């Protein structure tokens, strides 16, 4: 089974992640970290992130999978119709890179979260707050504080992992 990793930058105060199809901030180190973590792996995103954030340009040196209900085609990317189709992969690591609708649906399956918590007030039109409601399922294993933002790594706790394995066993 691949490791499923949710990677997101989130405003601490209100959970904003996007503003008119773009990130509400410019943090070069965050983009660098995103590239380092995802390079040579598979990235999974929603159609809006592909269209507005990436401007329909695939992330280089990564397998790009886009989820859409529409019949789409583009060079250098793969379109699938559902999250489960995107997760049906032999790749060792699958990075869920947004946006909010995909993050929400992925939360049940995520093994690790690589979050950039952006401090300060930001306005926007897309929010992802649900991760906070699920924190009891995860352990915070690393924090790297920077000026006005921090990197936090969460892994699904042993307890919830064991529970998931048991459920998987029941239905396999
Ligand atoms: N801060 C961050 O780390 C970060 C990261 C990524 C994106 N963002 C921001 O997030 C915003 C976009 O997020 P969003 O929630 O509006 O859009 P999104 O999740 O990027 O894309 C939504 C689209 O994905 C498709 N989709 C979602 N679930 C599906 C399913 N179960 N089956 C089939 N298709 C499905 C649908 O496409 P169709 O309509 O084609 O069916 C849907 O309209 C942007 O502002 C972007 O900048 C922020």
């Amino acid at each position: 089974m691949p490791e499923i990793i949710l990677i997101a930058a989130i405003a601490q105060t209100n959970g904003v992640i996007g503003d008119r199809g773009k990130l509400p901030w410019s943090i070069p180190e965050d983009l660098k970290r995103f590239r380092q973590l995802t390079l040579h792996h598979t990235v999974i995103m929603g159609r809006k992130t592909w269209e507005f954030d990436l401007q329909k340009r695939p992330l280089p040196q990564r397998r790009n999978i886009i989820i859409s209900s529409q019949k789409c085609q583009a060079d250098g990317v793969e379109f699938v119709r559902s999250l489960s189709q995107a997760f049906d992969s032999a790749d060792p690591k699958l990075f869920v890179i947004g946006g909010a609708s995909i993050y929400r649906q992925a939360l049940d399956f995520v093994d690790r979260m690589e979050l950039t918590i952006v401090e300060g007030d930001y306005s926007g039109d897309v929010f992802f707050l649900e991760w906070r409601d699920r924190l009891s399922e995860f352990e915070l294993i690393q924090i790297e504080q920077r000026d006005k933002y921090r990197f936090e790594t969460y892994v699904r706790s042993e307890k919830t992992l064991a529970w998931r394995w048991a459920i998987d066993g029941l239905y396999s």
Side-chain angles (χ1 to χ4, degrees):
M1 280 233 295
E3 184 188 12
I4 297 173
I5 304 147
L6 185 157
I7 183 164
I10 306 167
Q12 179 170 17
T13 51
N14 59 2
V16 158
I17 64 161
D19 184 29
R20 286 164 291 170
K22 294 268 166 237
L23 297 178
W25 43 72
S26 167
I27 306 178
E29 192 194 3
D30 181 47
L31 300 179
K32 196 174 154 197
R33 184 171 183 266
F34 175 89
R35 186 173 185 275
Q36 276 171 350
L37 286 168
T38 59
L39 204 64
H40 307 301
H41 294 295
T42 297
V43 290
I44 296 169
M45 72 199 90
R47 192 262 307 161
K48 289 183 185 170
T49 295
W50 158 248
E51 207 168 308
F52 302 114
D53 225 335
L54 270 65
Q55 303 273 301
K56 298 189 176 180
R57 286 190 299 262
L59 291 171
Q61 298 179 68
R62 277 151 282 193
R63 181 182 175 200
N64 288 243
I65 298 181
I66 297 142
I67 305 175
S68 172
S69 60
Q70 304 167 46
K71 210 168 177 217
C72 307
Q73 227 181 337
D75 285 344
V77 299
E78 299 164 46
F79 284 92
V80 296
R81 294 294 186 98
S82 68
L83 194 67
S84 56
Q85 245 181 300
F87 287 168
D88 186 13
S89 166
D91 300 339
K93 288 183 189 188
L94 304 178
F95 283 88
V96 176
I97 67 163
S101 79
I102 302 299
Y103 288 145
R104 276 185 205 112
Q105 296 171 68
L107 265 175
D108 277 345
F109 310 97
V110 163
D111 298 300
R112 174 158 53 111
M113 297 196 285
E114 294 288 355
L115 304 182
T116 305
I117 306 298
V118 184
E119 298 160 9
D121 289 322
Y122 288 91
S123 54
D125 51 18
V126 182
F127 299 81
F128 176 52
L129 280 162
E130 289 80 352
W131 69 278
R132 284 188 192 156
D133 306 330
R134 308 291 293 264
L135 279 184
S136 62
E137 298 171 30
F138 292 88
E139 278 168 40
L140 176 60
I141 59 159
Q142 194 173 326
I143 301 184
E144 285 178 50
Q145 183 68 51
R146 299 287 189 271
D147 187 27
K148 300 197 174 89
Y149 59 93
R150 62 184 184 273
F151 300 119
E152 295 187 348
T153 301
Y154 293 84
V155 292
R156 192 170 283 279
S157 67
E158 289 300 318
K159 204 168 122 195
T160 54
L161 256 186
W163 176 82
R164 216 176 95 179
W165 287 332
I167 297 289
D168 285 349
L170 279 179
Y171 292 102
S172 62

